[in-house]
């Protein structure tokens, strides 16, 4: 009996249709990296100090140097304190010069930044001193948006389809990403970033394709170029978000997944998509094969492969709880925390941040492309375990290298970014293969949800370097080493055909109106 995979073979597994589809799915991924790491370049450190213009009321002719000497305390290094000032007094200038000021307090009138500095998140919203943590919090809130999107859009795409969810997420990312450029307050910025994160995650969950994710690597390099050329953070936000509006034509050209249509009982629509794919690939799709596999349009005459109990291989049977939990733990607690930990620390390695970001993006290309071959040669489980182990060990090595060796630190960080990227890509493929079609997007979404929890924590771990510079990398390194061991019980999926249902002797729970009609048919048979 012919099955759905026979249709795919007849249509052509890697023809012009599939290549055009991958191109369409890849374009939004070019801008997704900007939303993830673009903020790092909006808060580049600049010199600053407390605003002490109060003394101008009694000494209007003071030079800037004289003003700072009278109103700012100096640290042990001889430099002016950035987060404290002498308390204002009601003395005349001669008394202040004669006796000096002793009482200090936090900056009560804001901060002063270099006049030539272009507007940045740091300078516009005063993300310094006690408020510096708001930058890390906003990154975590963005990651929380990724979590919300992974959960919401993963399940929604199983219910209403991949195509509408993909289009909705592109629209949300474009509108709210552009809106970020006009926010008046840091808390509004955080709220909008959460929405953008949800949309980005929805796109990533929907596009679980290894080749399409190479566009994400190209986008990483584009971030370096955009950030280097545009220093005004509001203009940078516009440049990183507005191009998505050019993808409005997707409404007319982006097809729905035929597998999803079949599992929902929308047989005629699935036939049209497959016929269009075959025509684009200049292949002949035999009508008898189409009828044999898909049958009629009635829900109770669904494809044989969906009506009959699917004999799953041992690699696919235990996927619901043990495999899902193990994969979720491995993906979330290791891949994500290393990948985001290194990506968001790009300004901390000591070399030029734009060149470092360019290198971070460049290594993602071979990392993602090489997975296409290594996964076929060595299998999913082995590759995942080794990549996690290497990523963790590199981070642990970084904890012992002195800060006066920025070149060594940066090179190791780049290698760590390469292996963590490959591990992340492996997880997308692995998760997609373990779950059957009717649960695939939900399963990938749930695994991605676990990853986002680690993503939320990563920006909050980075500031721990104020207590000891080795703490963040020690955390980023120890987790993947531990989780690499947890990959051992996972099943191998290399060479296994994708399952369409759960193999529980029941048809899919939500195939059109199939449940109701099947029940009615059984009743009539009993009578």
């Amino acid at each position: 009996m012919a099955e759905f995979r026979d249709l795919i073979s007849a249509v052509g597994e890697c023809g012009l249709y599939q290549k055009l589809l991958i191109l369409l799915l890849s374009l939004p991924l070019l801008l997704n990296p900007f939303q993830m790491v673009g903020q790092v370049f909006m808060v580049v450190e600049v010199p600053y100090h407390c605003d002490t213009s109060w003394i101008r009321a009694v000494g209007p002719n003071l030079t800037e140097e004289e003003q700072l000497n009278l109103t700012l305390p100096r640290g042990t290094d001889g430099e002016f304190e950035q987060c404290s000032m002498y308390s204002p007094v009601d003395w005349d200038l001669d008394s202040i010069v004669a006796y000096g000021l002793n009482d200090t307090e936090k900056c009560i009138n804001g901060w002063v930044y270099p006049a030539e500095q272009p507007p940045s998140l740091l300078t516009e919203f005063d993300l310094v001193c006690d408020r510096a943590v708001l930058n890390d919090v906003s990154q975590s809130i963005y990651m929380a948006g990724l979590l919300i999107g992974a959960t919401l859009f993963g399940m929604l795409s199983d219910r209403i389809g991949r195509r509408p969810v993909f289009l909705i997420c592109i629209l949300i990312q474009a509108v709210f990403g552009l809106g970020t450029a006009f926010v008046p307050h840091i808390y509004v910025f955080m709220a909008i970033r959460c929405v953008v994160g949800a949309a980005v995650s929805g796109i990533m969950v929907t596009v679980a394709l290894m080749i399409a994710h190479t566009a994400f690597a190209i986008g990483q390099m584009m971030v370096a170029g955009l950030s280097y050329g545009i220093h005004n953070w509001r203009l940078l936000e516009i440049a990183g978000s507005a191009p998505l509006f050019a993808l409005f034509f997707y409404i007319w050209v982006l097809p729905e997944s035929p597998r999803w249509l079949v599992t929902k009982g929308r047989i005629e629509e699935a036939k049209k998509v497959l016929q269009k794919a075959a025509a684009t690939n200049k292949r002949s799709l035999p009508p008898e094969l189409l009828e044999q596999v898909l049958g009629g349009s009635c829900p109770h005459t669904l494809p044989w492969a969906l009506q009959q109990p699917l004999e799953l291989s041992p690699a696919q049977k235990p996927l619901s709880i043990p495999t899902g939990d193990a994969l979720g733990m491995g993906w979330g607690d290791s891949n994500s925390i290393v990948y985001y930990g290194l990506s968001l620390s790009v300004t901390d390695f000591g070399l030029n941040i734009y060149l470092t970001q360019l290198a971070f993006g460049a290594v993602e290309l071979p990392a993602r492309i090489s997975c296409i071959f290594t996964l076929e040669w060595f299998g999913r489980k082995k590759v995942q375990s080794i990549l996690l182990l290497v990523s963790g060990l590199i981070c642990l090595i970084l904890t012992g290298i002195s800060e006066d060796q920025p070149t060594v630190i940066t090179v190791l960080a780049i290698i760590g970014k390469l292996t963590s990227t490959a591990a992340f890509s492996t997880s997308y493929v692995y998760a997609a293969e373990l779950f059957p079609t009717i649960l695939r997007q939900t399963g990938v979404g749930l695994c991605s949800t676990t990853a986002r929890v680690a993503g939320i924590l990563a920006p909050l771990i980075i500031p721990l370097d104020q207590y000891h510079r080795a703490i963040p990398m020690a955390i980023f390194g120890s987790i993947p080493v531990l989780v690499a061991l947890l990959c051992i019980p996972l099943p191998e999926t290399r060479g296994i055909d994708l399952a369409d249902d759960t193999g529980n002797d029941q048809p899919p729970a939500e195939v059109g109106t199939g449940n109701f009609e099947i029940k009615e048919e059984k009743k009539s048979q009993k009578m």
Side-chain angles (χ1 to χ4, degrees):
M1 181 69 73
E3 298 182 7
F4 193 87
R5 61 175 174 268
D6 297 316
L7 276 178
I8 300 300
S9 297
V11 167
E13 296 184 1
C14 191
L16 177 61
Y17 178 85
Q18 286 83 359
K19 292 174 182 177
L20 290 174
L21 184 59
I22 290 174
L23 176 63
L24 291 175
L25 296 176
S26 299
L27 291 180
L29 298 183
L30 291 174
L31 295 176
N32 280 5
F34 172 79
Q35 302 298 341
M36 185 186 78
V37 299
Q39 185 175 334
V40 173
F41 300 94
M42 300 178 191
V43 288
V44 177
E45 287 291 331
V46 296
Y48 61 90
H49 58 78
C50 296
D51 183 353
T52 58
S53 57
W54 63 268
I55 200 173
R56 291 290 181 178
V58 294
N61 297 321
L62 288 173
T63 65
E64 181 180 3
E65 183 178 359
E66 290 173 334
Q67 175 185 335
L68 298 182
N69 279 322
L70 291 173
T71 58
L72 294 179
R74 292 181 182 270
T76 55
D77 58 358
E79 299 294 329
F80 289 118
E81 293 282 355
Q82 293 181 306
C83 300
S84 62
M85 56 181 281
Y86 287 124
S87 302
V89 294
D90 294 329
W91 300 353
D92 58 51
L93 182 60
D94 292 335
S95 298
I96 294 175
V97 173
Y99 300 105
L101 303 176
N102 295 311
D103 295 334
T104 60
E105 60 183 348
K106 295 180 179 179
C107 304
I108 58 176
N109 298 316
W111 290 264
V112 175
Y113 307 97
E116 68 278 6
Q117 175 67 28
S120 69
L121 278 176
L122 185 147
T123 58
E124 283 205 19
F125 298 141
D126 290 331
L127 302 182
V128 295
C129 300
D130 291 343
R131 292 175 56 84
V133 69
L134 294 178
N135 177 50
D136 302 308
V137 171
S138 67
Q139 287 281 26
S140 286
I141 290 177
Y142 169 79
M143 296 296 179
L146 294 180
L147 188 154
I148 294 171
T151 305
L152 174 63
F153 293 117
M155 293 186 291
L156 194 61
S157 63
D158 278 335
R159 182 173 295 274
I160 69 173
R162 279 59 162 159
R163 178 181 178 274
V165 168
F166 189 70
L167 295 175
I168 290 170
C169 288
I170 289 178
L171 178 62
I172 293 175
Q173 182 178 334
V175 172
F176 283 85
L178 186 62
T180 306
F182 304 97
V183 296
H185 199 280
I186 184 62
Y187 295 110
V188 179
F189 176 84
M190 291 180 184
I192 293 181
R193 287 279 292 164
C194 183
V195 177
V196 172
V200 168
S201 188
I203 293 174
M204 296 296 291
V205 169
T206 307
V207 189
L209 291 171
M210 179 77 73
I211 296 177
H213 284 184
T214 58
F216 194 86
I218 298 174
Q220 292 266 20
M221 292 185 282
M222 289 172 56
V223 170
L226 275 177
S227 302
Y228 179 78
I230 306 175
H231 292 169
N232 184 313
W233 80 273
R234 295 186 185 272
L235 296 179
L236 185 58
E237 281 284 1
I238 294 173
S241 302
L244 278 173
F245 286 103
L247 303 182
F248 72 93
F249 69 92
Y250 276 24
I251 297 174
W252 297 282
V253 300
L254 193 68
E256 182 56 270
S257 164
R259 273 185 177 269
W260 181 85
L261 290 171
V262 168
T263 61
K264 293 299 179 179
R266 294 161 62 174
I267 307 302
E268 291 303 317
E269 294 178 59
K271 287 181 179 179
K272 291 180 181 179
V273 173
L274 291 169
Q275 289 169 342
K276 181 179 179 180
T280 305
N281 290 342
K282 297 181 179 180
R283 299 286 292 269
S284 176
L285 187 59
E288 59 274 13
L289 177 62
L290 199 62
E291 286 298 319
Q292 185 179 12
V293 176
L294 299 185
S297 59
C298 297
H300 56 273
T301 58
L302 289 171
W304 176 87
L306 295 181
Q307 287 195 43
Q308 301 298 322
L310 191 63
E311 291 298 325
L312 300 181
S313 70
Q316 290 175 308
K317 286 184 178 180
L319 58 83
S320 295
I321 297 178
T323 298
D325 288 349
L327 183 59
M329 181 181 297
W331 186 357
D333 292 342
S334 54
N335 295 339
S336 183
I337 205 162
V338 176
Y339 181 84
Y340 289 120
L342 290 173
S343 297
L344 299 178
S345 299
V346 68
T347 61
D348 300 332
F349 299 129
L351 295 185
N352 182 280
I353 60 174
Y354 303 106
L355 291 179
T356 303
Q357 176 60 37
L358 182 65
F360 269 22
V363 298
E364 288 207 10
L365 276 174
R368 296 181 187 276
I369 294 175
S370 64
C371 283
I372 299 174
F373 305 101
T374 56
L375 290 177
E376 291 303 314
W377 294 339
F378 306 109
R380 280 57 165 159
K381 182 173 71 172
K382 187 180 296 184
V383 170
Q384 179 77 62
S385 301
I386 293 174
L387 291 173
L388 286 173
L389 184 63
V390 174
S391 299
L393 290 176
I394 288 176
C395 290
L396 293 176
I397 292 173
L398 284 173
T399 62
I401 300 178
S402 174
E403 289 182 289
D404 60 5
Q405 301 184 57
T407 302
V408 176
I409 293 174
T410 303
V411 169
L412 285 175
I414 291 171
I415 297 174
K417 183 68 183 298
L418 185 149
T419 54
S420 63
T421 298
F424 225 146
S425 294
T426 301
S427 295
Y428 271 102
V429 174
Y430 207 178
E433 291 181 348
L434 283 168
F435 292 96
T437 300
I438 60 172
L439 296 176
R440 185 162 297 126
Q441 290 301 121
T442 299
V444 173
L446 290 175
C447 290
S448 181
T449 296
T450 312
R452 304 315 170 195
V453 173
I456 293 172
L457 295 176
L460 301 179
I461 292 173
I462 294 174
L464 295 178
D465 63 356
Q466 62 183 304
Y467 302 106
H468 194 287
R469 57 175 294 269
I471 293 178
M473 285 300 162
I475 296 175
F476 296 150
S478 57
I479 292 177
V481 170
L482 174 63
V483 174
L485 302 177
L486 298 178
C487 289
I488 295 176
L490 290 177
E492 179 56 65
T493 61
R494 179 179 55 170
I496 303 298
D497 291 326
L498 296 181
D500 284 315
D501 68 4
T502 56
N504 59 356
D505 297 339
Q506 298 294 329
E510 295 182 10
V511 180
T513 58
N515 269 1
F516 175 77
E517 296 193 18
I518 290 172
K519 290 178 182 177
E520 291 299 312
E521 182 181 10
K522 288 182 178 178
K523 287 182 180 179
S524 63
Q525 290 174 352
K526 290 181 180 179
M527 294 176 63

